[in-house]
């Protein structure tokens, strides 16, 4: 269950741990998302977030599904667990930003995007 602080800041409990989610226009950010690894649970959480504030699809023709947001989340988790602790990208991978631009991207796509900046 999501606890609403002010319409943009939310909390939820998962396995007795408190998590924070923040909504910005067309973006959900889940802090410390790497701590949740069960795909079915990710989908449930993404659906709850989407029910409050849906995120547009990459082509802006509709909205992202809970399943494709969970896929992005899983890719962030892969990066977090595979990257060495000393790499700067690891700290970026610990929180997932669910936005239109990253829909459908896999780990390789994220690496290419980050290395071109």
């Amino acid at each position: 269950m999501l606890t609403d602080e002010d319409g943009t800041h939310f909390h939820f409990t998962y396995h007795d741990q408190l998590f924070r989610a923040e909504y910005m226009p067309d973006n959900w950010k889940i802090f410390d998302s790497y701590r949740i690894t069960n795909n079915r649970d990710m989908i449930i959480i993404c659906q709850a977030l989407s029910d409050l504030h849906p995120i547009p699809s990459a082509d802006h023709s509709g909205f992202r599904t809970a399943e494709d947001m969970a896929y992005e989340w899983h890719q962030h988790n892969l990066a977090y667990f595979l990257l060495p602790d000393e790499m700067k990208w690891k700290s970026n991978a610990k929180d997932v930003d669910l936005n239109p631009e990253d829909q459908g991207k896999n780990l390789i796509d994220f690496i290419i995007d980050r290395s071109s900046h």
Side-chain angles (χ1 to χ4, degrees):
M1 173 192 282
L2 290 168
T3 303
D4 182 357
E5 289 182 20
D6 61 6
T8 60
H9 297 86
F10 298 83
H11 288 95
F12 62 94
T13 301
Y14 180 79
H15 289 287
D16 297 323
Q17 295 180 344
L18 187 65
F19 287 85
R20 192 166 48 108
E22 182 177 331
Y23 176 76
M24 296 152 275
D26 297 341
N27 184 12
W28 273 109
K29 182 172 192 156
I30 304 169
F31 295 88
D32 297 324
S33 55
Y34 73 93
R35 295 179 357 205
I36 300 174
T37 58
N38 182 290
N39 190 64
R40 184 179 53 202
D41 294 339
M42 288 181 202
I43 292 170
I44 292 168
I45 294 164
C46 288
Q47 186 62 59
L49 297 174
S50 186
D51 287 347
L52 292 170
H53 296 288
I55 302 300
S57 59
D59 64 5
H60 293 277
S61 67
F63 294 99
R64 295 192 60 179
T65 66
E67 291 79 11
D68 86 67
M69 290 191 293
Y71 174 80
E72 180 183 343
W73 185 346
H74 179 70
Q75 298 308 300
H76 271 259
N77 284 357
L78 280 175
Y80 183 82
F81 290 112
L82 292 174
L83 290 170
D85 289 342
E86 63 275 2
M87 272 193 95
K88 65 179 180 176
W89 295 339
K90 184 164 185 142
S91 64
N92 293 340
K94 75 179 205 60
D95 307 323
V96 66
D97 283 294
L98 303 168
N99 55 40
E101 297 78 22
D102 292 336
Q103 182 180 21
K105 290 184 179 178
N106 62 31
L107 182 57
I108 300 300
D109 296 324
F110 284 119
I111 291 170
I112 291 168
D113 281 353
R114 298 322 184 254
S115 61
S116 66
H117 292 114

